[in-house]
Structure formats: structure tokens, C-alpha cells
Amino acid sequence: MSDFEPKIVGFFCNWCTATAADLAGTTRMQYPPNIRPIRVMCSGTVDPVYVIRALLNGADAVIVGGCRPGDCHYVSGNMKARRRMAILKTIMKSLGLAEDRVWLRWISAAEGPKFAKIAREMTEEIRKKGPSEMAGAWEA
Ligand code: FES
């Protein structure tokens, strides 16, 4: 049995997913500690280059968490994030890269249990896939 533990970088909107993560923590919900959270002001600020750099620098997967459609504090930032991530995944797929290591999820501030569930699901799925082949590719 492998003892591989995935490193997952999470770009979380300050107003929703980051707050949901805080809620999950403060209410002592059980979820694996594999996600390294980075708080951003809106999912729409997450440049796809951040995602690629995270993967090249050792992340096994990346999750972007934003407000539900219609709830973005900057009106349409989450819709921008959805378009950007869709384009990024299309490009990754065309290059033969594992686009399924990039997740986009809508998790509102009150959804601590949903955050914990997604953290468990993602960690388990990436654990099954094993280490990312992109990690360290920049130096190769
Ligand atoms: S403010 Fe949360 S996704 Fe835009």
C-alpha cells in the first residue's frame, strides 16, 4: 500500500470558500489536511498561470473555490473563473496533461460540511491517481 499523500493547492475566495473552510475547521469537521489554502478576494482573480505554476512547483492537484453563480461579490468574477478554468482544462487536455487534477467548485460561506466533503473526495481521488507528472517538470 502506498503512503503517498497528495499536496493540493486551494485558491479560495475570501467571501465564500475560505469562510466555509474556516467554518469546517472551527466546528471540528473531519477532513484531510492535504489542501494548502490560498485566500484570494474572488475566484475571478485566479489567473490560470497560478494553477500551472502550482502544478509545476510540486502540487499534485489544484482546487479553485468560489461563490455560487449569482452570489459573487464582484458580480461576475466566478463566471470569469469558470471560463478560465474551462479553457485551461481544454488546453491541458490537448497537451496530454491531467486536466482532471484541476477542480473548480462553488462552496458558499455556510457550507462547511460541503467543503469538508469535497476535501475528502478530492484527496481520495488524487491519492488514487498518485503523484502528478507535472511536478518538477520545469526543472527537467
Ligand atoms: S467574490 Fe467569491 S467568487 Fe467572486
Side-chain angles (χ1 to χ4, degrees), residues 29-99:
M29 289 174 197
Q30 294 294 309
Y31 63 91
N34 299 65
I35 298 179
R36 274 70 161 176
I38 298 172
R39 188 180 293 253
V40 296
M41 289 309 289
C42 173
S43 62
T45 66
V46 179
D47 190 312
V49 170
Y50 302 166
V51 176
I52 293 295
R53 287 193 70 120
L55 292 168
L56 289 173
N57 285 312
D60 296 299
V62 174
I63 180 169
V64 177
C67 300
R68 290 173 168 278
D71 290 345
C72 176
H73 288 229
Y74 306 98
V75 183
S76 59
N78 50 2
M79 296 298 100
K80 182 191 274 185
R82 182 159 70 184
R83 285 194 298 274
R84 284 177 163 180
M85 292 308 128
I87 292 168
L88 174 64
K89 286 166 78 83
T90 300
I91 292 169
M92 288 178 73
K93 193 171 184 179
S94 72
L95 294 174
L97 302 173
E99 91 285 352

Side-chain angles (χ1 to χ4, degrees), residues 2-11 33-36 38 50-64 88-89 92 97-103 119 121-137:
S2 168
D3 56 0
F4 167 65
E5 279 301 325
K7 290 188 288 284
I8 302 171
V9 171
F11 293 103
N34 299 65
I35 298 179
R36 274 70 161 176
I38 298 172
Y50 302 166
V51 176
I52 293 295
R53 287 193 70 120
L55 292 168
L56 289 173
N57 285 312
D60 296 299
V62 174
I63 180 169
V64 177
L88 174 64
K89 286 166 78 83
M92 288 178 73
L97 302 173
E99 91 285 352
D100 53 356
R101 290 177 183 267
V102 178
W103 290 27
E121 286 173 359
M122 187 171 196
T123 301
E124 191 51 42
E125 196 165 319
I126 301 303
R127 198 179 277 143
K128 278 187 214 148
K129 289 182 187 299
S132 169
E133 292 174 357
M134 284 181 72

Side-chain angles (χ1 to χ4, degrees), residues 20 24 29-32 111-121:
M29 289 174 197
Q30 294 294 309
Y31 63 91
E111 293 181 309
K114 182 178 179 182
F115 175 85
K117 181 173 177 276
I118 288 172
R120 284 192 297 270
E121 286 173 359

